[in-house]
Amino acid sequence: MAALYLTEDDVRSLMDMEKSILITHKVFKELATGRVMNAPRQRVRAPGIMLHTMSAANEYLHYVGWKAYTTTKQGARFHVAIYDQESGEMKALIEGDFLGQLRTGAASAVATEYMARPDSKVVGMFGSGLQARTQLQAVCMTRKIEFVQVYSRNFENCSRFAEEMTELCDVEVSACHSPDETAAEKDIVICATTSKAPLFDGRVLDEGTHLNVIGSNHRSRREIDRTTIKRADVIVCDDIEQCKIEAGDFMQPVEEGITDWRLMHNLSDIIAERETGRATDDQVTLFKSVGIAAEDVAMGVQVYEFALEEGLGVDLPF
């Protein structure tokens, strides 16, 4: 059988956040068993372009695969490929932009389920882009959210985001002019920006706040300040080893002795109940996601299987 090519439109018709959360939960559960091998992201540069590659072997699915994407001034282009574990044949090549947005939101949903207080109702949202959309959607599917304040540098974009997400999530979303106000008096704070500098003063966070910090996967970018890290009673990563390479939020604080990698936990260990995501209601908890290939491969496999059922995609000549 020829490999199947699936477009962004195909992915959007086949995959949604509810399915993505279930798939992503399974990924982290299997990571804890050792039936997933994940290779961190690597980057190479040429004038005007950067190529990012990452791969994983999801033994429990009988597939291996990779995600590769380019970033230029014109934007980013994403692809995910999956291969049959026994034959080594490529089964699908998938356009992976929306897929990546879903899996990143889903990882935060899984972390929120294990780390945020069950009665969490109020969210502070930083960012108004595509990743912010799926982050907020995922959290609203995980907790009974009643009110959201959102801040981004472009207030026009922020207001449009608030209007759109109010309808999508069926919850009141209000644009805010103040970063500190957005972070204060919140049960959950979400950071999904491209900021190179901390977004708010960590002193404004309430006790018991849970944070999902997903915007930075480069050592030069930080969304949270040293105070936030100091106040975090529990710090969880999607993958500590990958965070050591590209989590700018942690690199300098670790070098300064503010925190230590040995104090952090992998999300897989939280799900396996080897560690605790939250021990008391007054703890500040922090989830840092940089994105791992095991999620992309698992999502790609599911999209491929759905596509076979629905007769979608175009056969490639190999």
Side-chain angles (χ1 to χ4, degrees):
M1 181 182 289
L4 203 61
Y5 188 83
L6 297 165
T7 67
E8 288 288 337
D9 287 342
D10 292 329
V11 174
R12 288 180 180 275
S13 70
L14 294 168
M15 188 61 67
D16 59 27
M17 183 56 73
E18 185 175 4
K19 297 171 187 173
S20 301
I21 292 171
L22 293 174
I23 293 164
T24 303
H25 185 275
K26 179 67 171 176
V27 169
F28 285 101
K29 186 175 181 179
E30 292 294 338
L31 272 165
T33 71
R35 295 205 297 166
V36 176
M37 181 178 179
N38 191 78
R41 190 176 357 246
Q42 298 291 317
R43 294 179 168 95
V44 294
R45 302 171 184 265
I49 191 169
M50 183 180 293
L51 172 66
H52 317 247
T53 56
M54 49 209 292
S55 60
N58 292 38
E59 180 185 336
Y60 71 102
L61 292 172
H62 306 290
Y63 283 90
V64 301
W66 49 258
K67 177 178 181 177
Y69 59 102
T70 57
T71 49
T72 66
K73 289 182 179 179
Q74 285 71 45
R77 297 175 182 271
F78 301 83
H79 286 89
V80 172
I82 58 169
Y83 300 79
D84 180 82
Q85 182 175 305
E86 293 184 6
S87 69
E89 294 179 347
M90 179 187 284
K91 292 298 183 181
L93 181 61
I94 306 164
E95 293 182 0
D97 191 0
F98 184 59
L99 203 69
Q101 296 166 34
L102 284 174
R103 65 88 148 129
T104 309
S108 290
V110 174
T112 298
E113 180 62 34
Y114 284 84
M115 300 179 69
R117 298 194 323 273
D119 62 350
S120 296
K121 299 177 181 178
V122 184
V123 172
M125 176 83 236
F126 289 88
S128 58
L130 296 175
Q131 288 286 1
R133 289 176 64 88
T134 50
Q135 286 293 312
L136 185 54
Q137 183 185 10
V139 166
C140 287
M141 293 182 70
T142 309
R143 290 290 185 266
K144 294 180 179 180
I145 303 303
E146 297 178 355
F147 178 67
V148 179
Q149 273 190 316
V150 57
Y151 172 85
S152 71
R153 290 174 296 180
N154 186 315
F155 192 74
E156 183 179 345
N157 290 347
C158 188
S159 298
R160 187 182 304 114
F161 176 89
E163 183 177 345
E164 292 174 356
M165 296 306 290
T166 293
E167 182 175 351
L168 179 64
C169 297
D170 193 25
V171 62
E172 182 183 355
V173 183
S174 175
C176 183
H177 287 281
S178 166
D180 284 354
E181 182 182 339
T182 301
E185 299 180 341
K186 301 299 187 296
D187 301 313
I188 298 171
V189 171
I190 305 168
C191 301
T193 75
T194 58
S195 179
K196 293 184 178 181
L199 298 164
F200 58 87
D201 187 335
R203 291 175 296 182
V204 305
L205 294 170
D206 272 8
E207 290 187 350
T209 299
H210 170 66
L211 298 99
N212 291 323
V213 181
I214 70 98
S216 164
N217 61 9
H218 195 277
R219 64 180 303 117
S220 67
R221 295 179 179 176
R222 296 176 62 192
E223 294 185 291
I224 53 176
D225 62 8
R226 295 170 179 82
T227 302
T228 299
I229 293 172
K230 286 179 180 178
R231 293 193 60 193
D233 299 287
V234 180
I235 299 178
V236 173
C237 301
D238 54 358
D239 185 89
I240 293 173
E241 293 307 310
Q242 190 158 325
C243 280
K244 288 179 179 179
I245 299 171
E246 56 188 22
D249 293 291
F250 295 154
M251 286 180 168
Q252 189 172 342
V254 167
E255 291 170 2
E256 295 172 354
I258 292 171
T259 188
D260 193 291
W261 297 113
R262 292 171 295 180
L263 301 175
M264 303 180 194
H265 310 299
N266 281 316
L267 182 57
S268 57
D269 288 328
I270 303 297
I271 292 172
E273 298 183 348
R274 296 170 185 160
E275 305 290 348
T276 301
R278 171 177 293 274
T280 63
D281 283 349
D282 62 352
Q283 285 187 321
V284 173
T285 57
L286 168 59
F287 173 62
K288 174 60 187 174
S289 174
V290 292
I292 60 175
E295 299 167 294
D296 297 299
V297 172
M299 293 281 285
V301 169
Q302 189 63 79
V303 166
Y304 168 63
E305 292 178 349
F306 285 153
L308 292 179
E309 293 173 4
E310 299 293 329
L312 294 179
V314 177
D315 286 344
L316 292 170
F318 56 86

